[in-house]
Amino acid sequence: MKFGDFPKVSSFDGVTEFRNHLRSLGLDMPCDDIVAAGPQSPLSMPLKLGDKTISNRLAINPMEGWDCELDGLPTENTKRRWHRFGLSGAKLIWGGEACAVRPDGRANPKQLYMAEDTQAAIAELRNITIKGHKEAMGNDRDLVIGLQLTHSGRFCKPNDNTRFESMIAYRHPLLDRKFGYPKDKPVMSDDEIKRLIDDYVITAKRAQQCGFDFVDIKHCHGYLGHELLSAVDRPGPYGGSLENRTRFLREIVQGIHSEAGGLDIAVRLSAIDTVPFKPDPTQSVPGALGPGIPDDHALPYRYAFGANPNNPLEYDLTEPKALFEIMRGLGIRLVNITAASPYYNPHVIRPALYPPSDGYHPPEDPLVGVMRQIGMVHELKQAFPDFCLVGSGYTYLQEFFPNVAQAVVRQGWVDIVGIGRMTLAYPELPRDILEGRGVQKKRLCRTFSDCTTAPRNGIVSGCYPLDAFYKKSPEFKQLAAVKKPAKTA
Ligand SMILES: Cc1cc2nc3c(=O)[nH]c(=O)nc-3n(C[C@H](O)[C@H](O)[C@H](O)COP(=O)(O)O)c2cc1C
Ligand code: SF4
């Protein structure tokens, strides 16, 4: 088999063949033969969370479009996306999308950010989501909507899409090299972190005024909150011990309790990570990316939160579990589990058959990546049954998404299944499942990665291959032009 030549999920003729393939990969993935519909089905079971009820087991995971105005105001594209989040029928809308707590913390000049001038428009995004949900479901009963608060840290590009203006928590031996940082690149001072904590608290208060049910203090994907979790070499109050590395989260939570009392707090967490990957140079030719291989790294490798330092290609939940204990102490019970980072090891966070322009060919059958996320969430759920856990990374399952989603919820491996890329391609999937219509195969996301390649090249994100709105947009041609030289093997 040539590299990257993994069988397409669409090639399996039914659940039995799919399961046989899982077995051939040694994957023990739950997968039901028949997907139930209606109010008694496993995916329709309500879930009680504090004083709220989430009345089905499907969530829309945060999906940004990098399509706001430069002043942070949502555009028609942004509004359309949030409307479609609501139309999905999923009862948990996680964050909508990453919302920067201040303009210089954006990952892209067109990222959403919260400020006095944008607050009303962000409240409108929430209302648009509710409107979409009512159109689809007839009411907005037990619909829970949060806002994801972020600072992009190392991956800040607030002014120019081609230039990082990184704010780093520590000097990272591999990422500094990968992104070409000068040797004297300064790290954020403790005072800068303290000021940022204030920004989070102010933003949370604004989110509460907008009517959001919760805020997510984002700790994933290599952005600042996540980077702090691996700041083992950082001196001072925000680095070193796990207690120090979680001080950022603890101080934000304390601030929210005192300034925005009653607002629920959640965390999206990259619970596992690994070393950065790169295309194998011996198998890459101009215009064709090789399969991903781990970047050279010395052992012990201590810069991946949730990895075994002596073999960072293996995950280790010891520290993530200690973080769960801390979150429990802070009153946090809603956690959305994801993995790693789209910037340095995308196959771990978003299993895909086709790489984005800055990626590499999958080094493993993407189903192995799906199983990795399902398995580690299962382990966390067993250890922390009192938490409500949302899982991620399910889109690659395509036609078998409903069978696996139902099985993992039914068997208690996860509480709620989050949907990412599939939402862009086919937002009505949750309703089609819950109402027993089955999947519309032509609309399934086939993980072409255009929704990532586009923003990496300064073009707004969206599902260009399958969503007619983007297919017919002027940006479609722009994307085709940038994809040409990055053509894959
Ligand atoms: C275009 C795009 C935008 C995303 N935006 C966000 C975001 O704003 N916040 C976040 O936490 N994750 C974001 N993600 C990650 C997804 O929420 C999700 O974890 C990932 O796509 C894997 O899930 P999936 O297999 O269902 O797509 C984004 C992913 C993509 C492809
Ligand atoms: S562009 Fe569309 S088909 Fe491709 S990965 Fe994104 S959502 Fe899926």
Side-chain angles (χ1 to χ4, degrees):
M1 189 184 284
K2 122 172 142 21
F3 77 74
D5 198 7
F6 301 108
K8 291 185 176 152
V9 170
S10 59
S11 69
F12 301 119
D13 187 15
V15 184
T16 307
E17 262 193 33
F18 176 65
R19 217 186 268 115
N20 286 344
H21 179 63
L22 292 175
R23 214 168 288 132
S24 74
L25 294 170
L27 304 178
D28 192 15
M29 188 185 292
C31 179
D32 284 348
D33 283 311
I34 294 169
V35 179
Q40 299 308 318
S41 63
L43 291 174
S44 298
M45 286 293 125
L47 185 89
K48 196 99 188 95
L49 184 71
D51 60 352
K52 296 188 176 63
T53 300
I54 302 169
S55 60
N56 63 43
R57 302 305 188 95
L58 295 169
I60 301 303
N61 267 341
M63 292 299 291
E64 58 191 320
W66 298 278
D67 52 13
C68 291
E69 305 288 359
L70 297 179
D71 58 8
L73 286 174
T75 58
E76 289 310 311
N77 284 20
T78 326
K79 291 177 193 169
R80 177 179 184 269
R81 194 171 51 263
W82 284 62
H83 183 245
R84 284 155 64 94
F85 293 160
L87 280 180
S88 70
K91 287 290 183 184
L92 176 62
I93 311 294
W94 188 288
E97 68 184 273
C99 174
V101 299
R102 53 189 228 201
D104 64 356
R106 286 173 294 173
N108 176 298
K110 291 184 182 167
Q111 190 172 39
L112 186 68
Y113 74 84
M114 178 73 92
E116 199 180 340
D117 298 346
T118 59
Q119 181 174 347
I122 293 174
E124 193 201 343
L125 286 179
R126 177 181 163 275
N127 292 337
I128 288 170
T129 307
I130 295 172
K131 183 169 166 286
H133 192 82
K134 282 184 179 163
E135 283 163 26
M137 309 296 278
N139 62 65
D140 63 349
R141 231 183 357 257
D142 300 333
L143 173 65
V144 174
I145 309 178
L147 185 68
Q148 182 177 62
L149 310 191
T150 192
H151 183 286
S152 302
R154 189 172 284 273
F155 302 109
C156 287
K157 278 187 187 168
N159 296 306
D160 176 345
N161 197 53
T162 62
R163 182 166 49 92
F164 280 118
E165 295 175 52
S166 307
M167 298 176 75
I168 57 175
Y170 66 94
R171 300 301 313 248
H172 188 299
L174 271 60
L175 294 180
D176 285 8
R177 189 176 70 207
K178 183 176 170 76
F179 295 104
Y181 293 165
K183 286 212 163 29
D184 56 352
K185 168 99 190 144
V187 300
M188 283 179 85
S189 69
D190 293 342
D191 279 347
E192 282 175 312
I193 292 183
K194 285 196 180 95
R195 282 198 291 276
L196 181 58
I197 288 168
D198 293 340
D199 292 326
Y200 270 84
V201 174
I202 293 166
T203 307
K205 191 167 180 174
R206 290 190 190 282
Q208 186 181 40
Q209 289 163 351
C210 291
F212 286 97
D213 296 295
F214 68 91
V215 286
D216 160 22
I217 311 302
K218 185 175 187 175
H219 276 67
C220 59
H221 304 163
Y223 297 115
L224 190 73
H226 182 216
E227 176 155 302
L228 279 163
L229 292 179
S230 61
V232 289
D233 291 339
R234 183 187 169 96
Y238 297 102
S241 65
L242 184 65
E243 194 190 339
N244 283 353
R245 285 181 273 135
T246 53
R247 190 178 303 281
F248 178 69
L249 173 64
R250 286 185 283 117
E251 292 186 352
I252 291 173
V253 171
Q254 279 156 13
I256 294 176
H257 284 328
S258 71
E259 296 297 320
L263 178 64
D264 282 336
I265 301 174
V267 169
R268 191 159 203 228
L269 173 70
S270 280
I272 59 171
D273 200 355
T274 183
V275 295
F277 271 58
K278 61 182 183 188
D280 183 348
T282 66
Q283 296 194 63
S284 298
V285 290
L289 301 164
I293 54 167
D295 210 342
D296 302 334
H297 56 279
L299 295 178
Y301 181 83
R302 301 181 308 136
Y303 309 106
F305 183 75
N308 172 357
N310 297 315
N311 176 8
L313 301 181
E314 256 177 29
Y315 70 79
D316 174 352
L317 293 175
T318 309
E319 281 217 324
K321 285 179 181 171
L323 172 57
F324 265 74
E325 297 290 357
I326 292 169
M327 291 195 284
R328 181 186 277 142
L330 294 170
I332 294 171
R333 287 291 182 283
L334 181 59
V335 182
N336 186 322
I337 309 289
T338 171
S341 166
Y343 292 94
Y344 56 82
N345 40 29
H347 72 287
V348 182
I349 153 180
R350 294 186 304 238
L353 203 55
Y354 306 94
S357 60
D358 62 344
Y360 42 77
H361 259 276
E364 60 190 9
D365 187 312
L367 288 167
V368 174
V370 176
M371 186 64 214
R372 187 181 294 113
Q373 294 203 43
I374 290 178
M376 58 108 169
V377 174
H378 180 211
E379 189 178 333
L380 288 167
K381 183 67 201 169
Q382 282 178 312
F384 299 94
D386 53 328
F387 277 70
C388 170
L389 297 190
V390 180
S392 307
Y394 289 86
T395 286
Y396 187 74
L397 292 165
Q398 303 164 57
E399 27 278 269
F400 303 102
F401 171 89
N403 307 67
V404 174
Q406 173 176 292
V408 286
V409 167
R410 193 175 54 73
Q411 296 183 31
W413 284 35
V414 68
D415 297 294
I416 296 181
V417 171
I419 311 175
R421 290 162 294 179
M422 190 68 83
T423 299
L424 301 181
Y426 176 13
E428 301 86 354
L429 176 66
R431 260 165 61 209
D432 281 349
I433 299 171
L434 297 167
E435 293 168 13
R437 284 186 289 275
V439 300
Q440 303 176 42
K441 290 196 177 187
K442 283 197 174 139
R443 301 189 61 197
L444 290 170
C445 164
R446 299 296 183 190
T447 67
F448 296 123
S449 291
D450 285 2
C451 50
T452 301
T453 296
R456 289 286 185 270
N457 291 281
I459 304 167
V460 296
S461 182
C463 183
Y464 288 87
L466 296 177
D467 182 347
F469 179 84
Y470 288 94
K471 211 181 235 180
K472 291 187 189 145
S473 70
E475 289 86 359
F476 183 84
K477 281 197 183 121
Q478 263 178 285
L479 178 64
V482 297
K483 274 176 70 178
K484 242 185 191 156
K487 197 163 72 60
T488 55

XYZ file of all heavy atoms in Angstrom, residues 63 350 352 354 395 420-426 443-453 461-467 479, ligand 2:
253
model
N -16.615 26.227 15.755
C -16.108 26.244 14.379
C -16.028 27.693 13.920
O -17.040 28.315 13.593
C -17.050 25.458 13.464
C -17.080 23.971 13.723
S -15.489 23.120 13.491
C -15.255 23.200 11.750
N -7.717 16.425 14.198
C -8.755 16.352 13.154
C -8.396 15.237 12.188
O -7.853 15.493 11.118
C -8.758 17.641 12.325
C -9.154 18.866 13.015
C -9.225 19.965 11.992
N -7.977 20.100 11.279
C -7.265 21.220 11.233
N -7.706 22.290 11.826
N -6.142 21.272 10.568
N -8.137 13.083 9.194
C -8.569 13.444 7.840
C -7.813 12.619 6.821
O -6.646 12.263 7.033
C -8.298 14.931 7.588
N -7.354 13.834 3.680
C -6.644 14.796 2.826
C -6.066 15.899 3.711
O -6.804 16.493 4.508
C -7.606 15.406 1.804
C -8.322 14.354 0.998
C -9.578 13.894 1.393
C -7.746 13.801 -0.138
C -10.244 12.919 0.672
C -8.405 12.812 -0.872
C -9.659 12.383 -0.455
O -10.313 11.405 -1.163
N -15.910 13.486 13.035
C -16.378 13.722 11.663
C -15.895 12.664 10.684
O -16.618 12.269 9.768
C -15.951 15.143 11.211
O -16.785 16.086 11.882
C -16.083 15.330 9.708
N -17.751 18.718 14.640
C -16.974 19.858 14.142
C -17.188 20.064 12.653
O -18.203 20.604 12.205
N -16.223 19.580 11.830
C -16.276 19.857 10.391
C -17.600 19.466 9.740
O -18.079 20.160 8.831
C -15.123 19.117 9.688
C -13.773 19.692 9.998
C -12.673 18.708 9.674
N -12.724 17.539 10.545
C -11.905 16.502 10.488
N -10.962 16.470 9.572
N -12.012 15.493 11.323
N -18.187 18.373 10.202
C -19.442 17.926 9.575
C -20.516 19.014 9.637
O -21.385 19.095 8.768
C -19.925 16.653 10.281
C -21.061 15.955 9.582
S -20.524 15.262 8.009
C -19.807 13.714 8.542
N -20.424 19.857 10.666
C -21.400 20.944 10.813
C -21.342 21.907 9.633
O -22.358 22.467 9.232
C -21.068 21.738 12.097
O -21.169 20.844 13.182
C -21.981 22.911 12.296
N -20.119 22.126 9.102
C -19.985 23.057 7.983
C -20.573 22.443 6.714
O -21.167 23.129 5.884
C -18.511 23.415 7.750
C -17.761 24.066 8.907
C -16.327 24.374 8.482
C -18.451 25.332 9.381
N -20.368 21.146 6.548
C -20.808 20.479 5.322
C -22.302 20.183 5.367
O -23.005 20.319 4.374
C -20.021 19.182 5.146
N -22.771 19.787 6.541
C -24.099 19.156 6.636
C -24.672 19.455 8.025
O -24.736 18.578 8.871
C -23.861 17.652 6.403
C -25.010 16.700 6.512
C -26.339 17.105 6.560
C -24.755 15.323 6.545
C -27.367 16.185 6.656
C -25.770 14.389 6.625
C -27.075 14.826 6.692
O -28.085 13.901 6.783
N -23.988 14.669 1.319
C -23.649 15.878 2.077
C -22.577 15.626 3.137
O -22.177 16.545 3.855
C -24.922 16.443 2.723
C -25.973 16.778 1.664
C -27.122 17.510 2.250
N -26.696 18.780 2.834
C -27.437 19.475 3.687
N -28.615 19.031 4.048
N -26.990 20.616 4.171
N -22.109 14.397 3.234
C -21.151 14.087 4.304
C -19.788 14.732 4.048
O -19.272 14.658 2.923
C -20.981 12.574 4.410
C -22.181 11.805 4.969
C -21.970 10.307 4.778
C -22.398 12.121 6.449
N -19.218 15.293 5.076
C -17.848 15.827 5.005
C -16.906 14.659 4.729
O -16.908 13.670 5.454
C -17.493 16.483 6.339
S -15.723 16.756 6.564
N -16.095 14.778 3.676
C -15.138 13.720 3.349
C -13.724 14.137 3.743
O -12.741 13.636 3.208
C -15.222 13.376 1.859
C -16.602 12.861 1.408
C -16.961 11.533 2.070
N -18.244 10.996 1.584
C -18.861 9.965 2.123
N -18.359 9.349 3.186
N -20.004 9.539 1.647
N -13.619 15.090 4.635
C -12.348 15.568 5.212
C -11.351 16.024 4.153
O -10.185 15.655 4.172
C -11.711 14.526 6.176
O -11.295 13.377 5.473
C -12.654 14.137 7.284
N -11.829 16.878 3.247
C -10.951 17.437 2.217
C -10.034 18.541 2.758
O -9.126 18.990 2.073
C -11.787 18.016 1.071
C -12.598 16.991 0.330
C -13.971 17.104 0.223
C -11.978 15.897 -0.257
C -14.720 16.159 -0.456
C -12.722 14.945 -0.948
C -14.101 15.080 -1.041
N -10.363 19.044 3.949
C -9.527 20.051 4.646
C -9.527 21.437 3.999
O -8.726 22.290 4.379
C -8.073 19.571 4.824
O -8.032 18.506 5.742
N -10.416 21.711 3.048
C -10.463 23.065 2.474
C -10.848 24.110 3.518
O -10.450 25.271 3.406
C -11.472 23.127 1.321
C -10.936 22.462 0.071
O -9.808 21.934 0.118
O -11.643 22.475 -0.952
N -11.625 23.701 4.518
C -12.042 24.669 5.542
C -10.840 25.088 6.397
O -10.922 26.091 7.122
C -13.169 24.108 6.404
S -12.854 22.466 7.047
N -9.724 24.350 6.330
C -8.492 24.755 7.012
C -7.519 25.402 6.039
O -6.891 26.420 6.344
C -7.815 23.533 7.683
O -8.739 22.980 8.605
C -6.549 23.934 8.412
N -7.413 24.835 4.842
C -6.491 25.405 3.853
C -6.875 26.855 3.552
O -5.996 27.717 3.418
C -6.517 24.558 2.563
O -6.017 23.255 2.905
C -5.652 25.147 1.476
N -13.111 30.825 5.982
C -13.330 29.388 6.061
C -14.768 29.035 5.691
O -15.672 29.850 5.832
C -13.025 28.884 7.466
O -13.199 27.489 7.518
N -14.949 27.816 5.252
C -16.274 27.303 4.935
C -16.081 25.998 4.188
O -14.958 25.637 3.845
N -17.171 25.305 3.946
C -17.044 24.034 3.234
C -17.160 24.288 1.736
O -18.252 24.224 1.161
C -18.108 23.047 3.713
S -17.898 21.461 2.898
N -16.026 24.558 1.103
C -15.998 24.879 -0.330
C -16.445 23.706 -1.218
O -17.119 23.917 -2.219
C -14.607 25.383 -0.736
C -14.335 26.782 -0.193
C -13.806 26.977 1.076
C -14.660 27.903 -0.946
C -13.587 28.250 1.580
C -14.437 29.189 -0.459
C -13.901 29.353 0.814
O -13.702 30.610 1.308
N -16.081 22.463 -0.877
C -16.497 21.389 -1.782
C -17.999 21.087 -1.756
O -18.552 20.682 -2.758
C -15.727 20.159 -1.273
C -14.703 20.671 -0.328
C -15.170 21.991 0.169
N -18.650 21.288 -0.591
C -20.016 20.763 -0.471
C -21.097 21.808 -0.217
O -22.275 21.512 -0.370
C -20.069 19.728 0.672
C -19.221 18.475 0.468
C -19.304 17.570 1.672
C -19.677 17.722 -0.763
N -20.713 22.976 0.224
C -21.720 23.989 0.551
C -21.792 24.960 -0.638
O -20.845 25.708 -0.901
C -21.274 24.705 1.842
C -22.270 25.759 2.305
O -23.179 26.117 1.523
O -22.124 26.241 3.450
N -9.114 29.978 -3.621
C -8.686 28.756 -2.935
C -8.103 27.759 -3.944
O -7.052 27.145 -3.700
C -9.874 28.139 -2.189
C -9.611 26.834 -1.458
C -8.610 27.034 -0.325
C -10.902 26.246 -0.889
S -14.072 21.684 3.536
Fe -16.008 20.593 3.854
S -15.625 18.472 3.266
Fe -13.645 19.492 3.547
S -13.061 19.070 5.647
Fe -14.072 21.036 5.661
S -16.206 20.582 6.080
Fe -15.252 18.687 5.443
